[in-house]
Amino acid sequence: FTVATVPYLKSEYGKEYDYEAPVKLLDRLLHGMADAEDQQLVVLAHVLACPACFGYEDIVNTAVHSFDGKPLRNLKQLRDGVMQSKQKWLTFGLEYQQTIVLSREAAMSNTEEVLTMHAIPSAMSADLMDDANGDAAAAPLDNGTNPASGSGKQPKRARKK
């Protein structure tokens, strides 16, 4: 999950992002009005393959509207909802009337393996970890990668032409 921004879309779609990116995403980002000062356009950037996410791998750069049936305001709210959830199932409401339902237990138990497999240094970016005020659930996972950058960002992928 990430926040949709023009630099993000440029990194995903190149200089022609305004022609290549999903129309609904562009419209909401460039022309949408925020309901609150802290509102962000949260997107599911890529679903990384693992047993917990089987069947959802083709979903990319899709806006996230809700978590567990509650409207989503920003990435911090999503982080808090996921980390504090006691529900058996994590439910994400997406654009295009899509819904992702994951077993909370399976998602949490697969996190470290997925981070290692994709060389991702931590489960979330440094700003979300800092904002968690030392919450143990928000601490970076020790997955054997080099967390020197602390950014939690995925390495850029080469675009297929």
Side-chain angles (χ1 to χ4, degrees), residues 101-140:
V101 180
L102 302 176
S103 161
R104 181 184 167 284
E105 182 180 333
M108 297 302 181
S109 67
N110 281 269
T111 300
E112 187 170 345
E113 179 183 342
V114 170
L115 292 173
T116 300
M117 184 184 326
H118 295 280
I120 301 170
S122 66
M124 64 188 76
S125 61
D127 62 323
L128 287 175
M129 285 190 285
D130 291 344
D131 194 41
N133 296 325
D135 183 1

Side-chain angles (χ1 to χ4, degrees), residues 62-77:
T62 304
V64 182
H65 293 293
S66 64
F67 175 72
D68 280 347
K70 297 177 189 127
L72 191 62
R73 197 174 62 254
N74 56 41
L75 196 55
K76 179 187 177 300
Q77 181 188 15

Side-chain angles (χ1 to χ4, degrees), residues 36-109:
E37 187 175 320
D38 63 346
Q39 187 166 356
Q40 297 173 316
L41 179 52
V42 178
V43 295
L44 175 53
H46 300 276
V47 177
L48 302 175
C50 76
C53 300
F54 185 75
Y56 297 120
E57 298 88 358
D58 292 335
I59 299 175
V60 295
N61 293 324
T62 304
V64 182
H65 293 293
S66 64
F67 175 72
D68 280 347
K70 297 177 189 127
L72 191 62
R73 197 174 62 254
N74 56 41
L75 196 55
K76 179 187 177 300
Q77 181 188 15
L78 178 60
R79 184 223 42 213
D80 291 347
V82 170
M83 300 315 266
Q84 296 169 6
S85 179
K86 303 294 184 217
Q87 301 296 318
K88 182 176 180 178
W89 304 101
L90 302 174
T91 306
F92 304 88
L94 308 179
E95 191 88 71
Y96 309 109
Q97 300 178 347
Q98 293 178 307
T99 302
I100 291 181
V101 180
L102 302 176
S103 161
R104 181 184 167 284
E105 182 180 333
M108 297 302 181
S109 67

Side-chain angles (χ1 to χ4, degrees), residues 126-161:
D127 62 323
L128 287 175
M129 285 190 285
D130 291 344
D131 194 41
N133 296 325
D135 183 1
L141 298 176
D142 179 17
N143 62 359
T145 61
N146 180 3
S149 70
S151 69
K153 295 179 182 174
Q154 296 182 26
K156 279 193 172 181
R157 296 183 196 124
R159 289 188 63 212
K160 293 179 183 177
K161 297 287 178 180

